Amino acid sequence: MRVAVFATKPYDERFLAAANGDFGHALTFFEARLDAGTAALAQGYPAVCVFVNDRVDRPTLEKLAAGGTRLVALRCAGFNNVDLVAAEALGIAVVRVPAYSPHAVAEFTIGLLLALDRNIARAWARVRENNFALDGLIGRNLHGRVVGVVGTGRIGALVARSLRLGFGCEVLAHDVRPDPDLLAIGVRYVDRHALLVSSDVVTLHCPLTPDTHHLIDAAAVEAARPGLQIVNTSRGALIDTRALIEGLKSRRIGGVALDVYEQEADLFFEDLSNEIIQDDDFQRLLTFPNVLVTGHQAFLTEEALTSIARTTLGNIADAESRRPLANAISARTVFG
Ligand code: NAI
């Protein structure tokens, strides 16, 4: 099938082209993100392939539909950037990669937590300046601490398991569907409030939905155990950035590690080192010594990129051959 691949980076092209040997799609790579302004590039392509920060809203979908596109293939798990109701109304199917390598994200989450807690990034910056002083680098053992995991699906369950069995943490969890395997290893499910009040660390692994939007807001910061550390490798808008900044300023929040950021679409995946960043909230975040930010890279492993490429191209092949779309998402399945 002819596929317009948007928001392409060199690594996307490398892994998609390698996997396409088994599929034979005609892939055209565009560096531009898909939005209403760039949708014209997809004119005549029955399928588009997009990533997390492409804006697949109603105006974009209307332009795609007018240009003959019938399939949006997300090369990611999250689909909060797609207007599923509009897609369905316009007869455009949406497919995604529900699971590629939960290990990639889970391992990165643990890495971020350790780097934050043990000041690894700050220590490396010092050592590069031949500053071997240790003042200000005191961390805490993870062993014995209380970690709250919000969302115990594929990624959250791996994180919970690793923290519980590997590090010996007390693990609290919150999910609309508790996982019996986690219960069996001593993970305790509690409500969101109890998790915030009782945890030393909270790590977020639920999808971004109306219910989880700004899950960490001013009230949550107020309710949290003083000194709470937060790790977010899920979606930026789970956290109200301004509330987080206030929590950091008042020291109510003891540290934050973010791989995702509410307004990341304006920043991430690009080299902006010669630009003036206009996002004052983001710049303020970077000034705190106890904040660590990475640019949405938790998924970025050889294994995950291989798996993403194969599943995405397989999803497109299913659509082309009119086979059932096992990885389809629709407004009906999501919203009931
Ligand atoms: P999953 O669908 O396997 O698990 C999500 C879990 O969240 C489910 O158990 C679900 O019941 C739970 N959940 C849903 N609504 C909830 C609510 N209101 N409160 C508490 N729990 C709720 O998804 P998976 O694969 O574990 O991914 C989790 C998230 O990680 C994705 O939604 C995506 O946004 C993010 N992600 C980030 C990546 C990165 O590179 N930083 C890469 C891949 C995923």
Side-chain angles (χ1 to χ4, degrees), residues 230-269:
I230 301 173
V231 182
N232 187 7
T233 58
S234 190
R235 283 294 179 266
L238 296 177
I239 298 180
D240 176 345
T241 308
R242 297 230 165 125
L244 186 69
I245 289 170
E246 289 309 312
L248 284 159
K249 284 166 74 176
S250 69
R251 298 177 188 265
R252 188 97 201 162
I253 301 296
V256 181
L258 305 176
D259 186 49
V260 287
Y261 169 64
E262 214 174 350
Q263 305 299 336
E264 69 176 49
D266 298 332
L267 301 168
F268 287 4
F269 307 125

Side-chain angles (χ1 to χ4, degrees), residues 100 153-155 175-176 205 207 211-212 233-235 259 296 299:
Y100 37 93
R154 281 169 283 247
I155 296 167
D175 196 305
V176 286
H205 302 287
D211 181 44
T212 60
T233 58
S234 190
R235 283 294 179 266
D259 186 49
H296 205 139
F299 71 99

Side-chain angles (χ1 to χ4, degrees), residues 165-180:
L165 301 180
F167 290 90
C169 298
E170 188 183 328
V171 178
L172 302 177
H174 175 67
D175 196 305
V176 286
R177 278 192 303 267
D179 176 344

Side-chain angles (χ1 to χ4, degrees), residues 90-202:
L90 291 161
I92 296 180
V94 183
V95 288
R96 66 169 177 147
V97 184
Y100 37 93
S101 176
H103 292 279
V105 184
E107 289 170 13
F108 194 84
T109 303
I110 302 286
L112 272 185
L113 174 55
L114 290 172
L116 172 73
D117 205 26
R118 303 301 301 274
N119 294 297
I120 292 173
R122 295 185 71 205
W124 174 228
R126 283 189 191 185
V127 167
R128 289 175 63 144
E129 298 282 321
N130 291 332
N131 174 356
F132 305 104
L134 299 181
D135 332 82
L137 299 183
I138 299 172
R140 305 249 333 249
N141 287 2
L142 262 180
H143 182 261
R145 289 171 83 197
V146 184
V147 183
V149 181
V150 181
T152 53
R154 281 169 283 247
I155 296 167
L158 285 173
V159 170
R161 185 169 284 276
S162 164
L163 291 168
R164 177 85 190 124
L165 301 180
F167 290 90
C169 298
E170 188 183 328
V171 178
L172 302 177
H174 175 67
D175 196 305
V176 286
R177 278 192 303 267
D179 176 344
D181 291 343
L182 292 182
L183 286 168
I185 59 167
V187 171
R188 283 197 297 126
Y189 280 87
V190 295
D191 65 34
R192 225 187 252 178
H193 182 78
L195 182 136
L196 276 169
V197 171
S198 313
S199 297
D200 299 306
V201 177
V202 166

